[in-house]
Each structure stands twice: as C-alpha cells, then as structure tokens.
Amino acid sequence: MAERGDITEPDHDGVGEAERLCTAQSTLGAAGQEAVGAIDVRACEEAVDILISTPCTAVMPTNTHETLTQLAGLLGDNATLIPGCRLPHGTDSAHQDFQDGCGCRIELTSRDNAAWTLQRSDAAWYLMPLASPHDGGSDLSGMELSMTETCPHPRHFALLLHRALDTAA
C-alpha cells in the first residue's frame, strides 16, 4: 500500500519488532477506516440485495463423478475423463456421494506437455504425474490439492488445478 502511495509508512529505524508490528497494525487500521468511510453503505446494501435475489442458474455437481465430468469439460481438449465408476463401499445406490472418489479420473496435459492424472481418494484430490516431459531431467512429483470439498465449484477447481500445474512445472 505504501509503494502505491495509498498510505505513508512510518519510519521503523531503531524500533523493535513488537513496536513495528503495532505501528503497522495501527497504520493499516487507519487506512481501512478511511476506506470504509468512503463507501456508501446504502449502495452496498442494494447490491447485496440484488445478488441475494438473483437465482443461481449454474448446474452444480452433486457427487465426485459429476464434479470430474464437469471439470473435464471445462479443461477442454487437454483433458480426458477416464471412466472407472464403482459404488461407494457398503452402498448399493449410484446416487450416493462418493467421498473417496468414484474410480474415474482425468488425464490431462499441462502447458509444458507433461501428462498428469487427477483423481479423488482418501477424501482428498490428488494430481499425479504420468510421465515427465524432460529428457533425462528430474521427475515430477505428485501433490495433494488444497481443495478438500467432495463437490467443489468446477470453475474454482479448474483455476486451482491450473495454478497447481503451473507451480509443478
């Protein structure tokens, strides 16, 4: 904020860490109060009322299989849904949610042409490398994604997945 010129940062020379933290907190608090004072609360309430009254038209997934299906569609030509559905342990209904995955997975190719697989297992989403694009280079390692929901919003999940792939490269 100080670099943009939004606030003036006080001089911290010769001051201990506790004092610097207290000064920084006070400076940020004052800047926040100034920002809140510039907002017309009536306009915010009207905007929130409009958002609340607007019906959601998105078709949200209701289980892991639907999440994978919608996600594969959002990821486009670089992703393929590999079927492998199985019923959740101890159930006889295909309509029950798949907490630990449905057996399906998505195989996808990242921007650097690395092949990956995405699947749900042990109540977590995993992104694992299928092959390394590097000629004799270091192998890519798999990762558990920070998304923990069984049925996350597919667009949010796609953004998280793209970020994870960019970080892994």
Side-chain angles (χ1 to χ4, degrees):
M1 290 170 64
E3 288 176 10
R4 290 191 315 252
D6 296 341
I7 62 171
T8 303
E9 190 174 4
D11 184 15
H12 299 298
D13 291 339
V15 178
E17 187 172 335
E19 289 82 8
R20 284 194 314 249
L21 180 61
C22 190
T23 302
Q25 189 175 18
S26 297
T27 304
L28 289 174
Q33 288 298 324
E34 185 179 336
V36 167
I39 296 172
D40 182 358
V41 177
R42 293 171 302 197
C44 291
E45 289 173 359
E46 183 180 343
V48 169
D49 289 343
I50 291 170
L51 290 172
I52 288 172
S53 66
T54 304
C56 178
T57 58
V59 178
M60 296 300 292
T62 59
N63 59 41
T64 304
H65 180 75
E66 290 178 9
T67 299
L68 285 168
T69 302
Q70 287 186 28
L71 184 60
L74 287 170
L75 295 173
D77 294 337
N78 291 333
T80 304
L81 179 66
I82 308 297
C85 277
R86 63 179 186 277
L87 294 175
H89 180 68
T91 66
D92 56 1
S93 171
H95 298 289
Q96 284 193 279
D97 194 14
F98 298 97
Q99 291 291 324
D100 290 326
C102 63
C104 297
R105 67 185 193 283
I106 295 175
E107 289 185 0
L108 60 148
T109 306
S110 64
R111 291 181 186 135
D112 64 351
N113 291 324
W116 296 85
T117 185
L118 172 74
Q119 61 191 32
R120 183 162 177 87
S121 176
D122 300 327
W125 292 98
Y126 293 98
L127 184 62
M128 304 298 290
L130 290 175
S132 176
H134 310 289
D135 296 332
S138 62
D139 291 331
L140 299 171
S141 60
M143 65 186 89
E144 181 177 336
L145 299 176
S146 61
M147 178 66 67
T148 57
E149 297 173 42
T150 304
C151 303
H153 190 291
R155 290 192 186 278
H156 180 214
F157 197 10
L159 289 172
L160 174 73
L161 189 56
H162 282 298
R163 254 188 258 137
L165 288 170
D166 290 344
T167 303

